[in-house]
Amino acid sequence: MKVLTDNFSTYGEGFLGTLELTVYASLLALALGFVMASFRVAPVGSLRVFGTAWVTVLRNTPLTLLFFAVLLGLPRFGLLLPFEVFAVLALGCYTSAFICEALRSGINTVPTGQGEAARSLGMSFAQTLTLVVLPQAFRSVIPPVGSNLIALAKNSAIAGAFSVTELLGTYRTLSELGYNIVWTFVWIAVGYLIITLAISALFHVLERTFGVAR
């Protein structure tokens, strides 16, 4: 306990940094994932191509490489933002590809007759998707979306290598102060466990409330 009690502010700062990265990147990932899933099933060919390219590139690019591209590449084009914002962009864009595929798999579970019925009533593609298809698809994609956001929380540890304050990075400070490295990592693991269990609990509630009964 001495490692924690003596350095509670350091752990707290790292914990809040990881929590902020997780929350903001999750919101970005959900928004982009929804947009890209809509593109993937859109009747416009160019949108389907863009959505497919987005998913293919990001799902097959190592996250560390994406961090390098965003945090070190974008400033070369005149885009100067805090490293925390760049980290949110990297995490959110990367995870959005997986959210997109989870949503698309849910969309594919909705019977095609639902969409045809909506179109026969004069609904546009956007209305059919948002009012008819996605509400039904949402019920079946709650578990995979939750798993992807839990993975995002753990992936945020990479941000520490790019001067972003987060939980894993606290080990460097405590190691320099001479604290036991084993207990340093134990309390770091506890911090990540708190965040991931909170996400898991939230999606468990959503699944019990909205999920498909098996």
Side-chain angles (χ1 to χ4, degrees):
M1 287 293 293
K2 185 176 177 60
V3 176
L4 178 63
T5 54
D6 288 354
N7 303 279
F8 191 79
S9 61
T10 302
Y11 275 115
E13 185 178 359
F15 180 84
L16 290 177
T18 293
L19 188 60
E20 287 181 357
L21 284 175
T22 300
V23 171
Y24 293 137
S26 294
L27 293 175
L28 178 60
L30 290 171
L32 284 176
F34 167 76
V35 171
M36 292 305 154
S38 301
F39 283 3
R40 300 274 330 248
V41 299
V44 181
S46 58
L47 293 180
R48 291 198 303 272
V49 169
F50 183 84
T52 301
W54 178 276
V55 171
T56 301
V57 171
L58 290 177
R59 285 212 308 173
N60 293 284
T61 300
L63 181 55
T64 304
L65 179 60
L66 186 60
F67 263 89
F68 275 111
V70 172
L71 274 80
L72 302 181
L74 291 182
R76 293 179 178 270
F77 295 96
L79 185 59
L80 301 175
L81 296 170
F83 272 17
E84 289 80 3
V85 176
F86 284 133
V88 168
L89 287 175
L91 283 168
C93 290
Y94 178 79
T95 308
S96 71
F98 297 90
I99 298 291
C100 169
E101 289 302 274
L103 291 175
R104 190 170 70 93
S105 68
I107 291 172
N108 289 335
T109 64
V110 178
T112 56
Q114 297 282 333
E116 293 172 354
R119 286 192 294 273
S120 70
L121 293 175
M123 288 186 177
S124 65
F125 169 76
Q127 290 174 323
T128 301
L129 185 66
T130 56
L131 299 178
V132 178
V133 177
L134 279 178
Q136 298 180 69
F138 171 75
R139 301 175 63 196
S140 63
V141 301
I142 294 173
V145 168
S147 296
N148 284 319
L149 296 186
I150 288 174
L152 183 153
K154 294 184 288 186
N155 287 337
S156 67
I158 297 176
F162 297 89
S163 302
V164 176
T165 301
E166 51 79 42
L167 189 56
L168 183 61
T170 59
Y171 89 90
R172 288 190 294 270
T173 301
L174 301 185
S175 178
E176 292 172 358
L177 294 175
Y179 286 95
N180 186 300
I181 194 67
V182 174
W183 282 106
T184 298
F185 278 112
V186 165
W187 291 114
I188 289 173
V190 169
Y192 279 107
L193 191 63
I194 292 172
I195 294 174
T196 55
L197 286 179
I199 297 173
S200 179
L202 172 62
F203 277 84
H204 180 67
V205 171
L206 291 175
E207 186 176 8
R208 286 174 61 92
T209 305
F210 302 105
V212 178
R214 303 293 183 185

